Amino acid sequence: MAEYSVFSLLRNAFSGNRDWKPAWRKPDPKPSYDVIVIGGGGHGLSTAYYLAKEHGITNVAVLEKGYLGSGNVGRNTTAVRSNYLLPENIHLYEHSMKMWENLSHDLNYNVMFSQRGVLNLAHTPAQLDDYARRGNAIIHSGADSVLMTPAEIEWLMPGIDASGSARFPIIGGLMQWRAGTARHDAVAWGYARGADRRGVDILENCEVTGFIKDGDRVVGVTTTRGEIRANKVAVAVAGSTGHVMNMAGIDKLPIESHVLQAFVSESLKPFLDTVVTFGMGHFYVGQSDKGGLIYGGDLDGYNSYAQRGNLPIVEEVNSEMLALFPSLARVRVLRSWGGVCDMSMDGSPIITTGPLPGMYLNCGWCYGGFKATPASGWCFAYTIAKDEPHPINAPFTLDRFHRGAIIDDKGQGSTPRLH
Amino acid sequence: MSPRRAVSGGRIDRLRTIRFTFDGHSYTGHAGDTLASALLANGVTLFGRSFKYHRPRGVLTAGVEEPNALVTVLSGAVREPNIPATMLEVYDGLIAESQNRFPSLEYDVGAINQLGGKLLGAGFYYKTFMGPVIGPLKGTRFWMFCEHFIRRAAGLGRAGTEREPSRYERMNAFCDVLVVGAGPAGLMAAKAAADKGVRVILADLDANPGGSANWSDETIDGMAAADWAAETVRELKARENVRMLPRTTVWGYYDNNTLAALERVADHKLAPAKGEPRHRQWTIRTGAVVLATGALERPLVFPGNDRPGVMLASAVERYVNQYGVLPGRKFAIFTNNDSAYRAALALKKAGGEIAAIVDLREKISPAAREIAGKVGGAHHTGHAVIDTEGGKQLTGIKVQRFDDRTGVLSDDPRNIPADCLLISGGWSPTIHLASQAGLNPVWSDELQAFLPPQATQNWVGAGGFNGGFTTAGALAEGHAAGLKAAGAPAAAIELPAVDDDGLDPKPAPVLEIKAKGKAFVDHQHDVTADDVRLAHQEGFVSVEHLKRYTTLGMATDQGKSSNVPGLAIMADALGKQIPEVGTTRFRPPFAPVSVGSLAAERYGDIRPDRLTPMHDWHLENGATMYGAGLWHRPMIYALPGETVEQAYVRETKTVREGVGLVDVSTLGKIAVQGPDAGEFLDRVYTNMFSTLAVGKARYGLMLREDGLVLDDGTTWRLGQHDFLMTTTTANAGKVMQHLEYLLDVVWPELKVQLTSVTDQWAGAAIAGPKSRDVLAACLTGTKADNETLPFMGIVRGEIDGAPVMICRLSFSGELAYEVYCGAGHGTHVWEALMKAGKPFGIVPYGLEALGTMRIEKGHVTGAEIDGRTTARDLHLDWMLSKKKPFVGSAMMDREGLVGEGRLQLVGIVPLNNRPVNGGAHIVEELYEDGPRDSIGHVTAMCYSPTLGKYIALALVKDGKSRRGTRAFVSDPLRKRFGPVEIVSHHFYDPEGNRMHG
Amino acid sequence: MLITCPYCGPRDVSEYSYQGDGNRTRPDPASTDQEAWNAYVYDRLNPRGEHHEIWQHSGGCRAHLKVTRNTLTHVISSVGFARDAGHRKSDGHRKTGAEA
């Protein structure tokens, strides 16, 4: 019987919940491992999980400087979707989507992935054409997408301003029904538990302070819990990539770290099952199972590692919410926070071998990291195990920028804050 | 007289009676009451239901930290959910209702969740609902099925769907000293700073400044504390350099001493006064901040501690002293510190009966012992409350001997009847704002509380905020803090005298009594002590994991009272000290902030409308408008009964055969002036401009630094040093920034000035074989003949008395002119052209006809210049000068930009002559089993009246080499599929004879 | 966050547009050194700590400023005009137009 099930819940309820085991061990570091994964966030943990599960590599350590899941996996707005424009991105995120659809079973951990849809609203004919191009691209790449009319949208979302008199009238929308939301922390915990059960050592409060090199080759790291050596060192530290790679002697990357704020409202009776985005700004909102509206918008727009933003974006994001839902003026913001996003030069991630021998790099996820968690770890594990990328992540190299093989879903060029 | 109102006392106006309703029942209160105090005065004890177990809940606190008594305020159809009854001032006509209950607060079917208690512990969701691995409920379906019901039960209050009728406002304020909190410390600080002549803002979240002075029974300066506060407030209000902000919650501390505050301007009235906003959002930029935010009392954790009737001791003290309400008849007190004895004293004075004081400490201060003797009732030191009795209302408590060093309970329990239990677990300084502008808070073992962190911005603390819990200390610290913040040297003054009651602020280090039963830590989210221990058992031991796994502190009260007790239980389970568990970082907002206030004036007015000078004319003449970014532009000018297609086809035909007029004022216009203007343009355009003759225009192409196309447009040389650049409507801002960056950062040595003149010029394009005749009929001061005004020539003249500048250029492919005039003359010139064109059958045409003609000509626009295409992709490589470097020239030939497989511009002709939609894809083959293998997409389509068929432009993989081949359009979104021929993008007059004619 | 524009004085961050890493040097326009161009267009210093960056006072005087700002604390330690900082090598441009 699976460790977590309705039966184990009942059994434990009767025994006073005394038999539950820790979700993951808290081991001491060993002197060396086959693979070290730096970063105990979603991507790092899923990488370790798939190294063990798919490639039988279990002598693995995940190094986390704080508590597990303290980075963006615990700070995002939980949307999961694969509604990208370019085939490279659709393939990556659709691979992820398919993994999400079975993730709770795979991990024996309910990550509460719920496919209640993500809707992008269009406000001008040109925008609707643009969305149609994307929707058709999604369908031609094997994922799902439908166009919705204003009437359908109004029916789906009570309170949305679908009137023609809105400043930016809604003239349609692109819906991906298989998209949805997941419980973000549960994803980190589920992967940690799964990796731990397969023998992976998860080392919390273990901050990397430097890289140990043999010539050019990376052979280990120094940490706040001592020196740890490994044949392969993988970096998956979204938000801290610049900082960590700097320690390895790589001072320049096609990445800027930006702060992205997110907001949650007080708990309300659920009325919004779908995540919806505003087309004439940068805004998205969904509602959690606890009833809080979870929403966000644009980056603050400057390099920051501070995990906090400033007022102009707070005001802008909330204004955009009311442009869509004028009835929510009396709803109240409960919490706001900031996450640090690795904004790449084309808005797409990097999953690659190198840039140094013995090193593997996974970064540049912009806003897209959470939804990619399963596929990112899966592809990265493949790349680490085989020393070459899987076809899905083969386009997402570091040298693609210099070669001009850029994957620019938004067409904004090398201005990271616009992606 | 209400059943629980004391005969006298309190700071309410007993002469003013307020009528309001709660859950449909009418009640009365007095001016100065909150909903909580008024309902308590009426004998109401049941206020709400908890989030998870739907347990009946009363009111726990008297302030902003209230977790239980949340209500929805109704005003017409507009709903305002989750408002703490403790913060809601009553007004005549107030309608409030309880939340999260069905069918009623008294009988709530959701209470059945309590039966699942042990099952529904922390982490319950993660361990089940995965559902079957195979079958119809595999994947996410089983979870989604269950979630459907979970969502129906979830949530607190219900949001409305009606638009808010009232207004929100934003205000910027600047001061030298912002004092947050108008208790004794804050008032002293404001006074001290104001005396130094600096600009002071004093903000307090209550209606009546005074803080604890309003509900303490002390005397300050020989008068009742509340009178002293009122007197001080009066004095401050009279100062020109002091601004008082009552009902204002300072909620965010941002960079550079920028603080955000919410003023609830009209929440205490039925409706805002005329011109008054409901809320005002303050952005306060200040030199220094005095944080005098006081402290919040913490509950104790023991079984049954959530029963209605259990209240914080300080809250009861406040209800008695400020509101004249006795929230029970027979009171018991349970405390780990001396401060609750003040509440006992207040109750006694107001005529309450004290049944017992249960103090879990063995040893207490003489002052406390003296009060216990004075107020009567049993005094059980070294005892603890281990349970409470009653249904939806407390009837008694169960008390047992307790050792405060070991936590061991002994002897037989005894029952004490009581209908109100005051609890106190000591105090936590309100350090939330400091946490937003400081390092980690500092744990004090003595006070069992986190003290303010080291500051990272310019603030200074005073009073309870610093962990000093005496009024005398607050006055002294407030004074010192005020001086410091004002930049004045410390100076001793004679402080107002306060009686020292000798009570000891140090609590015993015990916050939980371990006994059988549900003991609540987070009341709103129903997180129990056992949940915290389960989190520990499963390894969720860091403070963030504790919060996230149990949801402790995530409710609307943001854990203001539950944070430290939760940490204490975890620390106990770990066998560690509290700070080793971790400290919580508080993030904005300090208390929930209305979304409306953050939007302020942008509510209902998210973005400005950009209108061309001829906008009104378009509306008056039947234009259907649509949005293009912030602009409003005419789409078509339909005749009665015409469809969109009929209208644009008619307009297009008229232009091709006669003449038409279109508003092009939205094009970006940049004046590029100076001796190096030509050189500058050579560097930013791919083609040459320095060689352009004065009085001529040229089409130009701009690349980004990475070698992809940025924008295109014509640039006119008006003088040797004077160019007028036009950009596409969409990219006007982007191009301006691009040019300014290059000029200012990269080439500051160039003598060039850039000025955006988009809004200064009105533009109208007159197009069609008869356009020259129309011009000739109205143009004075110059001529429009081919010699005076050749293709790409520029002339200046007048039309109906207004100066104009005319360039002969063509987007439509016909003989055409762009007529520019000052924006103020726009409509005048437009009307003159329409009048002159009347004999020639002129029509105004909109963007649809404009688009149709550009598709026929194969001109590119935003759909093709989408940030991913190169000049070669668009067949514009003829514009790439080989004689000079330009922006993008070094990067445009990289392998990824020139190799095979690039999307290139082509024309598309549907072979079934049916329309194809923009955004449809192109495939080599249609597959039975679903669309795949896209080779490109349609960027624009129209019915071409000139060619008599539907045509489209598309970006297709290696499109150039596919000309003349067949393919299929594949548009699964709109279920349109069909054969097409791929052709050149030049559908119409490829040699350009018509426009040169 | 406030940035003190040398022309306009301290102004809110909302008046400014961020233009990124100010440590980059644009190669000589005639340069064919692809690596140098790649570095200019794509590679960024992204330090956790003091960072030199370009901001445009787009809601004010529209000057470009070179700002030294700590990316961890947002504290700004210096502001100057970007044009004084020297980010270019423009010799490769042929002089044309007015002064040709």
Side-chain angles (χ1 to χ4, degrees), chain B residues 360 401-410 509-510 512-514 572:
Chain B
L360 53 73
R401 172 152 279 288
F402 180 76
D403 185 327
D404 65 351
R405 281 160 303 130
T406 62
V408 173
L409 293 160
S410 57
V510 177
E512 188 209 358
I513 309 302
K514 287 184 208 162
D572 176 61

Side-chain angles (χ1 to χ4, degrees), chain A residues 143-190:
Chain A
D144 69 304
S145 194
V146 292
L147 283 175
M148 293 184 82
T149 64
E152 289 168 331
I153 292 164
E154 195 171 15
W155 177 83
L156 194 67
M157 301 175 185
I160 199 162
D161 186 355
S163 68
S165 62
R167 171 66 184 90
F168 299 111
I170 294 165
I171 65 163
L174 187 69
M175 171 67 103
Q176 184 174 41
W177 279 111
R178 283 168 62 246
T181 57
R183 171 83 180 97
H184 57 358
D185 290 322
V187 176
W189 302 335

Side-chain angles (χ1 to χ4, degrees), chain B residues 202-252:
Chain B
L202 174 57
D204 191 271
L205 46 70
D206 282 326
N208 296 309
S212 64
N214 285 334
W215 64 84
S216 84
D217 202 23
E218 291 169 315
T219 56
I220 301 178
D221 221 6
M223 54 186 123
D227 292 333
W228 174 84
E231 184 59 40
T232 309
V233 168
R234 246 193 310 280
E235 202 181 310
L236 286 170
K237 271 185 179 163
R239 308 269 187 113
E240 272 191 1
N241 60 334
V242 178
R243 188 202 286 270
M244 295 284 306
L245 292 177
R247 299 187 176 97
T248 301
T249 308
V250 180
W251 58 264

Side-chain angles (χ1 to χ4, degrees), chain A residues 206-218:
Chain A
C206 182
E207 182 170 1
V208 170
T209 53
F211 286 81
I212 307 169
K213 287 191 193 172
D214 181 2
D216 230 12
R217 189 172 185 83
V218 175

